[in-house]
Amino acid sequence: MDRSGRRRYTDCEWDLPDGRVIVLEVDGAFHDDAMQGVLDRRRHRRLTTSRRIVVQCSAWEIRHEPAEVMEDLVALGVPLLAGRVRTHVPITTRSALDEAGGGYWATP
């Protein structure tokens, strides 16, 4: 839910032990449109609170630099599974990456 109580769907979320929530939004080519960018920024502002952090990356980064994205998430407190980064893990549900024409990526 955003600050106004509107239900919002995000790409990935992690509830951290300290009560913060890290949100990862994966932006495909559709998000490069100028008006879509305005709408995305407004949406992210409304999702962000003092305890909820919204982080963006591109679908290209997920496909080509997943370890770098995960490194940034770990720096924000997202825990690793068994002390290692897992990338390119197939998932069975549709994701934002499907729309961007990319493969699948999931984190533990």
Side-chain angles (χ1 to χ4, degrees), residues 11-108:
D11 295 321
C12 303
E13 291 194 8
W14 292 267
D15 296 319
L16 303 182
D18 65 4
R20 291 179 303 136
V21 177
I22 303 296
V23 178
L24 176 65
E25 286 291 305
V26 180
D27 296 338
F30 167 74
H31 296 275
D32 289 339
D33 175 76
M35 192 60 207
Q36 186 59 46
V38 169
L39 297 172
D40 287 344
R41 284 185 286 281
R42 180 179 302 145
R43 179 177 185 271
H44 293 169
R45 280 194 313 273
R46 292 178 180 166
L47 281 170
T48 301
T49 67
S50 62
R51 306 297 294 165
R52 184 182 192 87
I53 300 166
V54 179
V55 179
Q56 292 176 263
C57 73
S58 67
W60 187 93
E61 289 175 287
I62 292 294
R63 285 193 304 274
H64 300 284
E65 301 174 347
E68 289 187 32
V69 174
M70 195 62 202
E71 217 174 270
D72 293 339
L73 292 168
V74 169
L76 290 169
V78 174
L80 294 174
L81 177 65
R84 61 193 164 124
V85 174
R86 293 180 57 196
T87 58
H88 298 291
V89 177
I91 56 176
T92 57
T93 58
R94 289 186 54 78
S95 70
L97 294 179
D98 292 326
E99 295 171 17
Y104 294 98
W105 181 77
T107 58

